[in-house]
Amino acid sequence: MPKRQKTPQQLTTAQQLSSIIKSARDIMRKDKGLNGDLDRLPMLTWILFLKLLDDSELMREERAKLAGVRLRPTIAEPYRWRDWAAREEGITGDDLKEFINNEKTDKLDGTERPGLFAYLRTLQGDDAHDPRRTIAAVFKDITNRMQSGHLLRDVINKVNGIHFNSSEEMHTLSRLYESLLKEMRDAAGDSGEFYTPRAVVRFMVEVIDPRLGETVLDPACGTAGFLVEAYQHLEKQCRKAEHRRTLQQSSILGGEAKPLPFMLAQMNLLLHGLEAPQINPGNSLTEKLSDIGDKDRVDVVLTNPPFGGEEERGVLNNFPADKQTAETALLFMQLIMRKLRRKPKPGRAAVIVPDGFLFGEGVAGRVKEELLTQFNLHTIVRLPKGVFAPYTGIQSNLLFFDRSGKTKDLWFYEMPLPVGRKNYSKTAPLQYEEFADCLAWWRNREENDRAWRIDFAAKYKQARAEAEPHWEAAQAAEAKAKELARTAKEIADEIGRLKKPEIALLKNSDEAQRNQKEVERLEVKRLGLLNQEAEERERAKQEQAAGDAIYWPIFNLDIKNPAAKDDFEHLPPEQLADDILRKEQRIAELMAEIKQMLAGGDNEAMSAR
């Protein structure tokens, strides 16, 4: 009897995949437990996630069978997709909800066992690459929000039509998923995270150019936009199986504290081909800065840390006392600097920061001092207005630095808005092609209307030379003040001794009178010393302030393009007020002239009559 041939799997076209996703979302719209895309996309994601896992597992089983090796299943029966979801007429309605939601259930075959989510949350992996750890982390905070088990079954049946064992379908679905993420970002509006525009991500990865064998980290990865782009950049460099192993096992690292972006990041990376994403489901800032050693460092950091967030007191204690702040972006900058590898090849970073970081003082100034004096901050790309519109109007900048030494030359490049545009919008965002001039300049740098250079090393040297005499004077004044305070205290002690009862009671005696005079003399002397101490402290304060006024302004990186015309909106308030006043005065003069002319005309007319 001839051997029966296996029927080849029929691929789903891009159009059919799009139709499947649309149908699944339409079904979810009928469910009363879901409100908008912010609810629907997470639901769809965990369903897709379980189908993807089972398709991947089937391929592993096939390979293990051919190799004659035994395979430990990632997910045990009856929790695999094929066990409870693959049959269209399988478990549904309230039984399906109970199987998924409850801690304990007997709805599959009458045997009481943990429910699906309860089981998945308890999976334990052997190491960081074990997918069980990823699954447990993904389902740690996931809940099924659909109220109708019948509608949920309809969605599952739709997802059954997707074949994750086809690279073509995975590629198509990864692009579809990215569009879903964008829709979700749009739906989040002002309350959502500021997900980085794809064009900005692509530009940053292109110029930082991660190489195969290097480790890329995004400590606040959101939905993994930077990591996906870095993965694709590295994938182009793979030529053999060993390269792919390196890419899969030791190239991409992330951290994301919020459960929903964490799950979306996992799905995003899985769909793009990373088999076991290493995303830490916790706050990257909980790592004590001083505990980070060489083994924890990476070659490349690409990130858009959250602006304006606030961290709890316990987190702040992980940072140096003089650099503790509620501003999350500043804490992330310190973490990024600490995470960069020192040798053999210095690590490099590309980070998005708001304008406030450039001109910030206090802790921001001290963080920038470290950045410029211990790292090579070589480029700042100033993005045009509205790149993150309409979610935030905060103007942003791209910082590029490495650990090759202290900053010498600092280049600025100002990205213009396209001709005729005043802003970007949700429907007309920044395009990658707009970086073309910047990319060309990046490889062959010269000053022009958009690019200018600051000799920071010279600026730093001059500021130190001018500030240090003031600081030395401040130290000398402070030392003198301390000496005066010490002497004043010694006199105070002597006065106290002379006022003791056994001496003070010697009234009317010569010794008592001498004591009294001595006490009065010493009081005068002590007051004089205290006055001198106050003067020295004030002098120390003024000298310190004079030195600081010279030194700290060099860390203000909000440096305008010298070739640009003054922007009226960016003039200082005093200058704006003067400008308005001048215009009003000119208008008044013109009105007076017009009035005079009209009056003259009337007189002439009267004369003519």
Side-chain angles (χ1 to χ4, degrees), residues 212 231 234-251 273-275:
L212 197 62
Y231 174 84
L234 292 170
E235 194 177 29
K236 293 173 189 165
Q237 301 165 31
C238 292
R239 299 287 180 270
K240 48 188 179 182
E242 185 185 341
H243 293 168
R244 295 206 166 273
R245 223 173 7 255
T246 301
L247 174 62
Q248 287 290 340
Q249 295 182 357
S250 56
S251 297
L274 189 62
E275 293 168 2

mmCIF file with all atom_site columns, all heavy atoms in Angstrom, residues 212 231 234-251 273-275:
data_model
loop_
_atom_site.group_PDB
_atom_site.id
_atom_site.type_symbol
_atom_site.label_atom_id
_atom_site.label_alt_id
_atom_site.label_comp_id
_atom_site.label_asym_id
_atom_site.label_entity_id
_atom_site.label_seq_id
_atom_site.pdbx_PDB_ins_code
_atom_site.Cartn_x
_atom_site.Cartn_y
_atom_site.Cartn_z
_atom_site.occupancy
_atom_site.B_iso_or_equiv
_atom_site.pdbx_formal_charge
_atom_site.auth_seq_id
_atom_site.auth_comp_id
_atom_site.auth_asym_id
_atom_site.auth_atom_id
_atom_site.pdbx_PDB_model_num
ATOM 1   N N   . LEU A 1 212 ? 26.832 42.401 15.208 1.00 0.00 ? 212 LEU A N   1
ATOM 2   C CA  . LEU A 1 212 ? 26.586 41.051 15.703 1.00 0.00 ? 212 LEU A CA  1
ATOM 3   C C   . LEU A 1 212 ? 27.642 40.686 16.742 1.00 0.00 ? 212 LEU A C   1
ATOM 4   O O   . LEU A 1 212 ? 28.839 40.886 16.525 1.00 0.00 ? 212 LEU A O   1
ATOM 5   C CB  . LEU A 1 212 ? 26.638 40.062 14.529 1.00 0.00 ? 212 LEU A CB  1
ATOM 6   C CG  . LEU A 1 212 ? 26.016 38.687 14.805 1.00 0.00 ? 212 LEU A CG  1
ATOM 7   C CD1 . LEU A 1 212 ? 24.536 38.817 15.114 1.00 0.00 ? 212 LEU A CD1 1
ATOM 8   C CD2 . LEU A 1 212 ? 26.219 37.754 13.624 1.00 0.00 ? 212 LEU A CD2 1
ATOM 9   N N   . TYR A 1 231 ? 17.062 44.199 16.452 1.00 0.00 ? 231 TYR A N   1
ATOM 10  C CA  . TYR A 1 231 ? 17.076 42.774 16.071 1.00 0.00 ? 231 TYR A CA  1
ATOM 11  C C   . TYR A 1 231 ? 17.135 42.640 14.542 1.00 0.00 ? 231 TYR A C   1
ATOM 12  O O   . TYR A 1 231 ? 17.924 41.859 14.000 1.00 0.00 ? 231 TYR A O   1
ATOM 13  C CB  . TYR A 1 231 ? 15.829 42.084 16.629 1.00 0.00 ? 231 TYR A CB  1
ATOM 14  C CG  . TYR A 1 231 ? 15.675 40.654 16.176 1.00 0.00 ? 231 TYR A CG  1
ATOM 15  C CD1 . TYR A 1 231 ? 16.342 39.626 16.838 1.00 0.00 ? 231 TYR A CD1 1
ATOM 16  C CD2 . TYR A 1 231 ? 14.888 40.334 15.077 1.00 0.00 ? 231 TYR A CD2 1
ATOM 17  C CE1 . TYR A 1 231 ? 16.223 38.317 16.408 1.00 0.00 ? 231 TYR A CE1 1
ATOM 18  C CE2 . TYR A 1 231 ? 14.763 39.030 14.634 1.00 0.00 ? 231 TYR A CE2 1
ATOM 19  C CZ  . TYR A 1 231 ? 15.437 38.016 15.310 1.00 0.00 ? 231 TYR A CZ  1
ATOM 20  O OH  . TYR A 1 231 ? 15.317 36.719 14.877 1.00 0.00 ? 231 TYR A OH  1
ATOM 21  N N   . LEU A 1 234 ? 20.572 43.554 13.255 1.00 0.00 ? 234 LEU A N   1
ATOM 22  C CA  . LEU A 1 234 ? 21.561 42.488 13.493 1.00 0.00 ? 234 LEU A CA  1
ATOM 23  C C   . LEU A 1 234 ? 21.295 41.270 12.614 1.00 0.00 ? 234 LEU A C   1
ATOM 24  O O   . LEU A 1 234 ? 22.227 40.586 12.183 1.00 0.00 ? 234 LEU A O   1
ATOM 25  C CB  . LEU A 1 234 ? 21.524 42.080 14.968 1.00 0.00 ? 234 LEU A CB  1
ATOM 26  C CG  . LEU A 1 234 ? 22.013 43.130 15.972 1.00 0.00 ? 234 LEU A CG  1
ATOM 27  C CD1 . LEU A 1 234 ? 21.714 42.706 17.393 1.00 0.00 ? 234 LEU A CD1 1
ATOM 28  C CD2 . LEU A 1 234 ? 23.509 43.353 15.806 1.00 0.00 ? 234 LEU A CD2 1
ATOM 29  N N   . GLU A 1 235 ? 20.023 41.010 12.362 1.00 0.00 ? 235 GLU A N   1
ATOM 30  C CA  . GLU A 1 235 ? 19.660 39.824 11.567 1.00 0.00 ? 235 GLU A CA  1
ATOM 31  C C   . GLU A 1 235 ? 20.261 39.900 10.159 1.00 0.00 ? 235 GLU A C   1
ATOM 32  O O   . GLU A 1 235 ? 20.644 38.877 9.577  1.00 0.00 ? 235 GLU A O   1
ATOM 33  C CB  . GLU A 1 235 ? 18.125 39.725 11.473 1.00 0.00 ? 235 GLU A CB  1
ATOM 34  C CG  . GLU A 1 235 ? 17.639 38.381 10.964 1.00 0.00 ? 235 GLU A CG  1
ATOM 35  C CD  . GLU A 1 235 ? 16.127 38.309 10.962 1.00 0.00 ? 235 GLU A CD  1
ATOM 36  O OE1 . GLU A 1 235 ? 15.467 39.367 10.817 1.00 0.00 ? 235 GLU A OE1 1
ATOM 37  O OE2 . GLU A 1 235 ? 15.597 37.195 11.106 1.00 0.00 ? 235 GLU A OE2 1
ATOM 38  N N   . LYS A 1 236 ? 20.388 41.110 9.626  1.00 0.00 ? 236 LYS A N   1
ATOM 39  C CA  . LYS A 1 236 ? 20.971 41.279 8.289  1.00 0.00 ? 236 LYS A CA  1
ATOM 40  C C   . LYS A 1 236 ? 22.444 40.877 8.268  1.00 0.00 ? 236 LYS A C   1
ATOM 41  O O   . LYS A 1 236 ? 23.020 40.642 7.208  1.00 0.00 ? 236 LYS A O   1
ATOM 42  C CB  . LYS A 1 236 ? 20.840 42.743 7.843  1.00 0.00 ? 236 LYS A CB  1
ATOM 43  C CG  . LYS A 1 236 ? 19.405 43.187 7.619  1.00 0.00 ? 236 LYS A CG  1
ATOM 44  C CD  . LYS A 1 236 ? 19.367 44.690 7.350  1.00 0.00 ? 236 LYS A CD  1
ATOM 45  C CE  . LYS A 1 236 ? 17.931 45.194 7.354  1.00 0.00 ? 236 LYS A CE  1
ATOM 46  N NZ  . LYS A 1 236 ? 17.869 46.658 7.442  1.00 0.00 ? 236 LYS A NZ  1
ATOM 47  N N   . GLN A 1 237 ? 23.084 40.832 9.439  1.00 0.00 ? 237 GLN A N   1
ATOM 48  C CA  . GLN A 1 237 ? 24.511 40.495 9.500  1.00 0.00 ? 237 GLN A CA  1
ATOM 49  C C   . GLN A 1 237 ? 24.756 38.998 9.677  1.00 0.00 ? 237 GLN A C   1
ATOM 50  O O   . GLN A 1 237 ? 25.892 38.554 9.676  1.00 0.00 ? 237 GLN A O   1
ATOM 51  C CB  . GLN A 1 237 ? 25.157 41.259 10.664 1.00 0.00 ? 237 GLN A CB  1
ATOM 52  C CG  . GLN A 1 237 ? 25.027 42.776 10.554 1.00 0.00 ? 237 GLN A CG  1
ATOM 53  C CD  . GLN A 1 237 ? 25.343 43.481 11.850 1.00 0.00 ? 237 GLN A CD  1
ATOM 54  O OE1 . GLN A 1 237 ? 26.149 43.032 12.649 1.00 0.00 ? 237 GLN A OE1 1
ATOM 55  N NE2 . GLN A 1 237 ? 24.690 44.611 12.089 1.00 0.00 ? 237 GLN A NE2 1
ATOM 56  N N   . CYS A 1 238 ? 23.679 38.217 9.874  1.00 0.00 ? 238 CYS A N   1
ATOM 57  C CA  . CYS A 1 238 ? 23.830 36.769 10.091 1.00 0.00 ? 238 CYS A CA  1
ATOM 58  C C   . CYS A 1 238 ? 24.140 36.065 8.774  1.00 0.00 ? 238 CYS A C   1
ATOM 59  O O   . CYS A 1 238 ? 23.425 36.245 7.785  1.00 0.00 ? 238 CYS A O   1
ATOM 60  C CB  . CYS A 1 238 ? 22.554 36.192 10.705 1.00 0.00 ? 238 CYS A CB  1
ATOM 61  S SG  . CYS A 1 238 ? 22.261 36.747 12.385 1.00 0.00 ? 238 CYS A SG  1
ATOM 62  N N   . ARG A 1 239 ? 25.216 35.262 8.804  1.00 0.00 ? 239 ARG A N   1
ATOM 63  C CA  . ARG A 1 239 ? 25.604 34.504 7.603  1.00 0.00 ? 239 ARG A CA  1
ATOM 64  C C   . ARG A 1 239 ? 25.564 33.004 7.835  1.00 0.00 ? 239 ARG A C   1
ATOM 65  O O   . ARG A 1 239 ? 25.533 32.235 6.895  1.00 0.00 ? 239 ARG A O   1
ATOM 66  C CB  . ARG A 1 239 ? 27.027 34.910 7.176  1.00 0.00 ? 239 ARG A CB  1
ATOM 67  C CG  . ARG A 1 239 ? 27.166 36.386 6.809  1.00 0.00 ? 239 ARG A CG  1
ATOM 68  C CD  . ARG A 1 239 ? 26.505 36.702 5.470  1.00 0.00 ? 239 ARG A CD  1
ATOM 69  N NE  . ARG A 1 239 ? 26.646 38.107 5.127  1.00 0.00 ? 239 ARG A NE  1
ATOM 70  C CZ  . ARG A 1 239 ? 25.773 39.051 5.470  1.00 0.00 ? 239 ARG A CZ  1
ATOM 71  N NH1 . ARG A 1 239 ? 24.693 38.729 6.159  1.00 0.00 ? 239 ARG A NH1 1
ATOM 72  N NH2 . ARG A 1 239 ? 25.960 40.319 5.124  1.00 0.00 ? 239 ARG A NH2 1
ATOM 73  N N   . LYS A 1 240 ? 25.625 32.568 9.074  1.00 0.00 ? 240 LYS A N   1
ATOM 74  C CA  . LYS A 1 240 ? 25.622 31.129 9.341  1.00 0.00 ? 240 LYS A CA  1
ATOM 75  C C   . LYS A 1 240 ? 24.890 30.847 10.660 1.00 0.00 ? 240 LYS A C   1
ATOM 76  O O   . LYS A 1 240 ? 24.527 31.783 11.398 1.00 0.00 ? 240 LYS A O   1
ATOM 77  C CB  . LYS A 1 240 ? 27.047 30.594 9.370  1.00 0.00 ? 240 LYS A CB  1
ATOM 78  C CG  . LYS A 1 240 ? 28.015 31.387 10.197 1.00 0.00 ? 240 LYS A CG  1
ATOM 79  C CD  . LYS A 1 240 ? 29.435 30.875 9.986  1.00 0.00 ? 240 LYS A CD  1
ATOM 80  C CE  . LYS A 1 240 ? 30.410 31.707 10.800 1.00 0.00 ? 240 LYS A CE  1
ATOM 81  N NZ  . LYS A 1 240 ? 31.793 31.290 10.586 1.00 0.00 ? 240 LYS A NZ  1
ATOM 82  N N   . ALA A 1 241 ? 24.740 29.536 10.938 1.00 0.00 ? 241 ALA A N   1
ATOM 83  C CA  . ALA A 1 241 ? 23.942 29.119 12.093 1.00 0.00 ? 241 ALA A CA  1
ATOM 84  C C   . ALA A 1 241 ? 24.496 29.692 13.396 1.00 0.00 ? 241 ALA A C   1
ATOM 85  O O   . ALA A 1 241 ? 23.731 30.082 14.294 1.00 0.00 ? 241 ALA A O   1
ATOM 86  C CB  . ALA A 1 241 ? 23.909 27.593 12.165 1.00 0.00 ? 241 ALA A CB  1
ATOM 87  N N   . GLU A 1 242 ? 25.808 29.771 13.502 1.00 0.00 ? 242 GLU A N   1
ATOM 88  C CA  . GLU A 1 242 ? 26.425 30.289 14.716 1.00 0.00 ? 242 GLU A CA  1
ATOM 89  C C   . GLU A 1 242 ? 26.022 31.752 14.961 1.00 0.00 ? 242 GLU A C   1
ATOM 90  O O   . GLU A 1 242 ? 25.783 32.178 16.093 1.00 0.00 ? 242 GLU A O   1
ATOM 91  C CB  . GLU A 1 242 ? 27.947 30.180 14.573 1.00 0.00 ? 242 GLU A CB  1
ATOM 92  C CG  . GLU A 1 242 ? 28.697 30.566 15.818 1.00 0.00 ? 242 GLU A CG  1
ATOM 93  C CD  . GLU A 1 242 ? 30.196 30.569 15.583 1.00 0.00 ? 242 GLU A CD  1
ATOM 94  O OE1 . GLU A 1 242 ? 30.644 29.935 14.598 1.00 0.00 ? 242 GLU A OE1 1
ATOM 95  O OE2 . GLU A 1 242 ? 30.912 31.219 16.359 1.00 0.00 ? 242 GLU A OE2 1
ATOM 96  N N   . HIS A 1 243 ? 25.963 32.506 13.869 1.00 0.00 ? 243 HIS A N   1
ATOM 97  C CA  . HIS A 1 243 ? 25.537 33.906 13.990 1.00 0.00 ? 243 HIS A CA  1
ATOM 98  C C   . HIS A 1 243 ? 24.109 33.992 14.521 1.00 0.00 ? 243 HIS A C   1
ATOM 99  O O   . HIS A 1 243 ? 23.806 34.826 15.372 1.00 0.00 ? 243 HIS A O   1
ATOM 100 C CB  . HIS A 1 243 ? 25.612 34.600 12.621 1.00 0.00 ? 243 HIS A CB  1
ATOM 101 C CG  . HIS A 1 243 ? 27.017 34.755 12.128 1.00 0.00 ? 243 HIS A CG  1
ATOM 102 N ND1 . HIS A 1 243 ? 27.309 35.121 10.834 1.00 0.00 ? 243 HIS A ND1 1
ATOM 103 C CD2 . HIS A 1 243 ? 28.208 34.606 12.755 1.00 0.00 ? 243 HIS A CD2 1
ATOM 104 C CE1 . HIS A 1 243 ? 28.625 35.184 10.685 1.00 0.00 ? 243 HIS A CE1 1
ATOM 105 N NE2 . HIS A 1 243 ? 29.183 34.877 11.838 1.00 0.00 ? 243 HIS A NE2 1
ATOM 106 N N   . ARG A 1 244 ? 23.252 33.118 13.994 1.00 0.00 ? 244 ARG A N   1
ATOM 107 C CA  . ARG A 1 244 ? 21.847 33.146 14.416 1.00 0.00 ? 244 ARG A CA  1
ATOM 108 C C   . ARG A 1 244 ? 21.721 32.757 15.885 1.00 0.00 ? 244 ARG A C   1
ATOM 109 O O   . ARG A 1 244 ? 20.877 33.294 16.612 1.00 0.00 ? 244 ARG A O   1
ATOM 110 C CB  . ARG A 1 244 ? 21.003 32.198 13.549 1.00 0.00 ? 244 ARG A CB  1
ATOM 111 C CG  . ARG A 1 244 ? 20.941 32.624 12.106 1.00 0.00 ? 244 ARG A CG  1
ATOM 112 C CD  . ARG A 1 244 ? 19.703 32.148 11.382 1.00 0.00 ? 244 ARG A CD  1
ATOM 113 N NE  . ARG A 1 244 ? 19.584 32.873 10.123 1.00 0.00 ? 244 ARG A NE  1
ATOM 114 C CZ  . ARG A 1 244 ? 18.994 34.039 9.982  1.00 0.00 ? 244 ARG A CZ  1
ATOM 115 N NH1 . ARG A 1 244 ? 18.448 34.618 11.021 1.00 0.00 ? 244 ARG A NH1 1
ATOM 116 N NH2 . ARG A 1 244 ? 18.931 34.630 8.810  1.00 0.00 ? 244 ARG A NH2 1
ATOM 117 N N   . ARG A 1 245 ? 22.554 31.820 16.308 1.00 0.00 ? 245 ARG A N   1
ATOM 118 C CA  . ARG A 1 245 ? 22.540 31.426 17.722 1.00 0.00 ? 245 ARG A CA  1
ATOM 119 C C   . ARG A 1 245 ? 22.923 32.623 18.596 1.00 0.00 ? 245 ARG A C   1
ATOM 120 O O   . ARG A 1 245 ? 22.294 32.888 19.625 1.00 0.00 ? 245 ARG A O   1
ATOM 121 C CB  . ARG A 1 245 ? 23.517 30.273 17.919 1.00 0.00 ? 245 ARG A CB  1
ATOM 122 C CG  . ARG A 1 245 ? 22.962 29.181 18.820 1.00 0.00 ? 245 ARG A CG  1
ATOM 123 C CD  . ARG A 1 245 ? 23.767 27.923 18.947 1.00 0.00 ? 245 ARG A CD  1
ATOM 124 N NE  . ARG A 1 245 ? 25.067 27.882 18.357 1.00 0.00 ? 245 ARG A NE  1
ATOM 125 C CZ  . ARG A 1 245 ? 25.357 27.229 17.233 1.00 0.00 ? 245 ARG A CZ  1
ATOM 126 N NH1 . ARG A 1 245 ? 24.405 26.586 16.575 1.00 0.00 ? 245 ARG A NH1 1
ATOM 127 N NH2 . ARG A 1 245 ? 26.591 27.201 16.756 1.00 0.00 ? 245 ARG A NH2 1
ATOM 128 N N   . THR A 1 246 ? 23.964 33.321 18.168 1.00 0.00 ? 246 THR A N   1
ATOM 129 C CA  . THR A 1 246 ? 24.392 34.515 18.924 1.00 0.00 ? 246 THR A CA  1
ATOM 130 C C   . THR A 1 246 ? 23.270 35.543 18.994 1.00 0.00 ? 246 THR A C   1
ATOM 131 O O   . THR A 1 246 ? 22.982 36.116 20.050 1.00 0.00 ? 246 THR A O   1
ATOM 132 C CB  . THR A 1 246 ? 25.630 35.148 18.244 1.00 0.00 ? 246 THR A CB  1
ATOM 133 O OG1 . THR A 1 246 ? 26.665 34.188 18.211 1.00 0.00 ? 246 THR A OG1 1
ATOM 134 C CG2 . THR A 1 246 ? 26.092 36.383 18.981 1.00 0.00 ? 246 THR A CG2 1
ATOM 135 N N   . LEU A 1 247 ? 22.639 35.764 17.853 1.00 0.00 ? 247 LEU A N   1
ATOM 136 C CA  . LEU A 1 247 ? 21.547 36.746 17.794 1.00 0.00 ? 247 LEU A CA  1
ATOM 137 C C   . LEU A 1 247 ? 20.409 36.341 18.737 1.00 0.00 ? 247 LEU A C   1
ATOM 138 O O   . LEU A 1 247 ? 19.872 37.177 19.471 1.00 0.00 ? 247 LEU A O   1
ATOM 139 C CB  . LEU A 1 247 ? 21.036 36.856 16.351 1.00 0.00 ? 247 LEU A CB  1
ATOM 140 C CG  . LEU A 1 247 ? 19.802 37.725 16.138 1.00 0.00 ? 247 LEU A CG  1
ATOM 141 C CD1 . LEU A 1 247 ? 20.091 39.169 16.546 1.00 0.00 ? 247 LEU A CD1 1
ATOM 142 C CD2 . LEU A 1 247 ? 19.361 37.681 14.675 1.00 0.00 ? 247 LEU A CD2 1
ATOM 143 N N   . GLN A 1 248 ? 20.064 35.056 18.719 1.00 0.00 ? 248 GLN A N   1
ATOM 144 C CA  . GLN A 1 248 ? 18.931 34.599 19.512 1.00 0.00 ? 248 GLN A CA  1
ATOM 145 C C   . GLN A 1 248 ? 19.218 34.606 21.010 1.00 0.00 ? 248 GLN A C   1
ATOM 146 O O   . GLN A 1 248 ? 18.349 34.891 21.816 1.00 0.00 ? 248 GLN A O   1
ATOM 147 C CB  . GLN A 1 248 ? 18.534 33.177 19.077 1.00 0.00 ? 248 GLN A CB  1
ATOM 148 C CG  . GLN A 1 248 ? 17.829 33.096 17.726 1.00 0.00 ? 248 GLN A CG  1
ATOM 149 C CD  . GLN A 1 248 ? 16.434 33.682 17.769 1.00 0.00 ? 248 GLN A CD  1
ATOM 150 O OE1 . GLN A 1 248 ? 15.825 33.816 18.825 1.00 0.00 ? 248 GLN A OE1 1
ATOM 151 N NE2 . GLN A 1 248 ? 15.914 34.055 16.608 1.00 0.00 ? 248 GLN A NE2 1
ATOM 152 N N   . GLN A 1 249 ? 20.450 34.297 21.387 1.00 0.00 ? 249 GLN A N   1
ATOM 153 C CA  . GLN A 1 249 ? 20.711 34.027 22.800 1.00 0.00 ? 249 GLN A CA  1
ATOM 154 C C   . GLN A 1 249 ? 21.350 35.175 23.576 1.00 0.00 ? 249 GLN A C   1
ATOM 155 O O   . GLN A 1 249 ? 21.177 35.247 24.797 1.00 0.00 ? 249 GLN A O   1
ATOM 156 C CB  . GLN A 1 249 ? 21.614 32.786 22.918 1.00 0.00 ? 249 GLN A CB  1
ATOM 157 C CG  . GLN A 1 249 ? 20.937 31.532 22.425 1.00 0.00 ? 249 GLN A CG  1
ATOM 158 C CD  . GLN A 1 249 ? 21.802 30.296 22.580 1.00 0.00 ? 249 GLN A CD  1
ATOM 159 O OE1 . GLN A 1 249 ? 22.950 30.379 23.005 1.00 0.00 ? 249 GLN A OE1 1
ATOM 160 N NE2 . GLN A 1 249 ? 21.269 29.153 22.218 1.00 0.00 ? 249 GLN A NE2 1
ATOM 161 N N   . SER A 1 250 ? 22.078 36.038 22.906 1.00 0.00 ? 250 SER A N   1
ATOM 162 C CA  . SER A 1 250 ? 22.842 37.012 23.711 1.00 0.00 ? 250 SER A CA  1
ATOM 163 C C   . SER A 1 250 ? 22.956 38.378 23.060 1.00 0.00 ? 250 SER A C   1
ATOM 164 O O   . SER A 1 250 ? 24.006 39.008 23.127 1.00 0.00 ? 250 SER A O   1
ATOM 165 C CB  . SER A 1 250 ? 24.251 36.452 23.960 1.00 0.00 ? 250 SER A CB  1
ATOM 166 O OG  . SER A 1 250 ? 24.880 36.159 22.730 1.00 0.00 ? 250 SER A OG  1
ATOM 167 N N   . SER A 1 251 ? 21.901 38.833 22.415 1.00 0.00 ? 251 SER A N   1
ATOM 168 C CA  . SER A 1 251 ? 21.997 40.119 21.713 1.00 0.00 ? 251 SER A CA  1
ATOM 169 C C   . SER A 1 251 ? 21.014 41.167 22.198 1.00 0.00 ? 251 SER A C   1
ATOM 170 O O   . SER A 1 251 ? 21.336 42.348 22.223 1.00 0.00 ? 251 SER A O   1
ATOM 171 C CB  . SER A 1 251 ? 21.782 39.905 20.205 1.00 0.00 ? 251 SER A CB  1
ATOM 172 O OG  . SER A 1 251 ? 22.785 39.086 19.691 1.00 0.00 ? 251 SER A OG  1
ATOM 173 N N   . GLY A 1 273 ? 10.715 37.257 15.264 1.00 0.00 ? 273 GLY A N   1
ATOM 174 C CA  . GLY A 1 273 ? 11.666 36.154 15.128 1.00 0.00 ? 273 GLY A CA  1
ATOM 175 C C   . GLY A 1 273 ? 12.541 35.863 16.323 1.00 0.00 ? 273 GLY A C   1
ATOM 176 O O   . GLY A 1 273 ? 13.294 34.886 16.306 1.00 0.00 ? 273 GLY A O   1
ATOM 177 N N   . LEU A 1 274 ? 12.499 36.703 17.379 1.00 0.00 ? 274 LEU A N   1
ATOM 178 C CA  . LEU A 1 274 ? 13.301 36.423 18.567 1.00 0.00 ? 274 LEU A CA  1
ATOM 179 C C   . LEU A 1 274 ? 12.563 35.355 19.381 1.00 0.00 ? 274 LEU A C   1
ATOM 180 O O   . LEU A 1 274 ? 11.463 35.601 19.892 1.00 0.00 ? 274 LEU A O   1
ATOM 181 C CB  . LEU A 1 274 ? 13.495 37.697 19.397 1.00 0.00 ? 274 LEU A CB  1
ATOM 182 C CG  . LEU A 1 274 ? 14.499 37.586 20.546 1.00 0.00 ? 274 LEU A CG  1
ATOM 183 C CD1 . LEU A 1 274 ? 15.901 37.270 20.027 1.00 0.00 ? 274 LEU A CD1 1
ATOM 184 C CD2 . LEU A 1 274 ? 14.545 38.876 21.349 1.00 0.00 ? 274 LEU A CD2 1
ATOM 185 N N   . GLU A 1 275 ? 13.168 34.185 19.520 1.00 0.00 ? 275 GLU A N   1
ATOM 186 C CA  . GLU A 1 275 ? 12.436 33.034 20.051 1.00 0.00 ? 275 GLU A CA  1
ATOM 187 C C   . GLU A 1 275 ? 12.210 33.089 21.554 1.00 0.00 ? 275 GLU A C   1
ATOM 188 O O   . GLU A 1 275 ? 11.197 32.579 22.047 1.00 0.00 ? 275 GLU A O   1
ATOM 189 C CB  . GLU A 1 275 ? 13.190 31.747 19.675 1.00 0.00 ? 275 GLU A CB  1
ATOM 190 C CG  . GLU A 1 275 ? 13.171 31.492 18.170 1.00 0.00 ? 275 GLU A CG  1
ATOM 191 C CD  . GLU A 1 275 ? 14.135 30.409 17.746 1.00 0.00 ? 275 GLU A CD  1
ATOM 192 O OE1 . GLU A 1 275 ? 14.804 29.824 18.626 1.00 0.00 ? 275 GLU A OE1 1
ATOM 193 O OE2 . GLU A 1 275 ? 14.244 30.168 16.529 1.00 0.00 ? 275 GLU A OE2 1
#
